[in-house]
Amino acid sequence: MSSYVLETENLKKDFKKITAVESLNLKLKKGKIYALVGPNGAGKTTAMALMLNILNPTSGKVKIFDKYSKVHPEVYLKVGSIIENAHFYKNLTAYENLKILSLLRNDDEDIEDILNDFSINSKKKFKNFSLGMKQRLAIAASLMHKPDLLILDEPINGLDPFGIIEVRDIFKKLSKKYGVTILISSHILSEVEEIADELIFMKSGKIIEEISKEELYKKLGSFVEFEVSNIKLAIDLLKKEGLKEDLDFKVENNKLKIYSNFNKRSEFNELFVNNGIKVNKLYLANESLEEYFNNIMR
């Protein structure tokens, strides 16, 4: 029994004389958030369409929940997705559009609850939605049947900053609390850095690097610096969390420098505050993902 939620085996897609995806080998673990990153034309959308059986591969196979998707199409009942633009009935309300999906799936979802989660007016017609609201509805539709795997092409495209924060928090909750595996593509690199556990860089249809965020930060010599009111108590709290002094963190000039667990910096901040420690400064020092992206693509 495989430990992976999704696997691709030498996946390839040719369009006449153009190879859009070549030798794609991915293995996605349960409960992780993966980001597919690359310039326009890198093959991200094509790769996702192949995973979802929207396109037929020239060669290679896709395995979802340990079953080959071509042989067992029922695996897609546990998959939520967005590929390119959202398509809904223009003259129907948000509620009516989701109700149709619910009836097609023969599910009994609480549509009002999920519309509230995304701050969507259930009575407003889709034709009157802004780009951001259309994207919110598309994400809501991909989640309403409680999937175990999400494959989302540019899910935060068109969202305002508040919408991005809402969606980010929902994705993190799905991943950490409910064990949902999420694969997203995005051009917003700062948001990718904030949300993803693993980054997959694509160029010209190929994966050129796959790296965890922890490994990326170590590679860049990054650290999180905390300036706190009670450094001794902060050290004790970090040790209770399993961090080791001189390996995971150091004290320099009466400041804490943490060299691992970067994605937990907000949790550390909350831990300090909840234990009566004032956090006067929190600083993440590293080469930006944009700079890294530009360097690796060159």
Side-chain angles (χ1 to χ4, degrees), residues 70-253:
K70 281 289 185 183
V71 182
H72 300 277
E74 70 275 6
V75 295
Y76 291 107
L77 294 172
K78 297 189 290 182
V79 180
S81 66
I82 300 173
I83 296 294
E84 296 186 326
N85 298 325
H87 296 284
F88 294 97
Y89 292 104
K90 294 181 180 180
N91 291 314
L92 297 185
T93 65
Y95 181 91
E96 290 167 341
N97 270 292
L98 293 194
K99 185 64 178 177
I100 290 171
L101 291 176
S102 177
L103 292 171
L104 288 171
R105 292 193 186 107
N106 196 26
D107 288 331
D108 187 25
E109 297 98 351
D110 194 328
I111 296 170
E112 287 289 356
D113 276 356
I114 197 162
L115 288 172
N116 288 334
D117 286 343
F118 286 91
S119 305
I120 298 171
N121 184 339
S122 64
K123 297 179 180 179
K124 191 172 184 177
K125 290 186 177 181
F126 183 74
K127 66 181 180 181
N128 297 323
F129 276 21
S130 65
L131 175 60
M133 291 306 296
K134 289 177 180 177
Q135 196 68 4
R136 284 172 184 255
L137 186 62
I139 298 171
S142 72
L143 293 174
M144 60 187 293
H145 60 297
K146 299 179 177 63
D148 295 318
L149 170 64
L150 282 171
I151 298 176
L152 307 173
D153 186 23
E154 299 283 353
I156 55 177
N157 182 39
L159 296 180
D160 60 26
F162 295 107
I164 290 174
I165 292 170
E166 285 180 351
V167 169
R168 178 206 303 161
D169 290 344
I170 288 171
F171 286 167
K172 285 184 176 181
K173 183 178 179 180
L174 288 170
S175 167
K176 307 307 177 191
K177 187 174 181 179
Y178 298 108
V180 177
T181 303
I182 303 173
L183 174 65
I184 67 169
S185 69
S186 179
H187 287 102
I188 306 176
L189 296 178
S190 58
E191 191 57 31
V192 165
E193 185 177 14
E194 182 66 31
I195 193 174
D197 301 308
E198 306 271 342
L199 287 85
I200 303 162
F201 293 94
M202 279 191 75
K203 181 181 179 181
S204 302
K206 298 179 181 179
I207 295 174
I208 57 174
E209 184 172 20
E210 186 173 353
I211 188 170
S212 72
K213 194 158 59 177
E214 293 294 321
E215 291 170 340
L216 175 63
Y217 284 146
K218 287 178 183 177
K219 198 171 183 178
L220 298 175
S222 307
F223 61 88
V224 177
E225 183 177 275
F226 281 91
E227 188 177 304
V228 296
S229 60
N230 189 334
I231 200 161
K232 289 183 179 179
L233 178 56
I235 290 170
D236 290 340
L237 291 170
L238 290 177
K239 288 180 177 179
K240 287 180 181 178
E241 291 293 310
L243 274 70
K244 297 179 181 179
E245 193 166 1
D246 295 327
L247 179 63
D248 297 309
F249 70 91
K250 293 180 181 179
V251 178
E252 293 182 4
N253 300 321

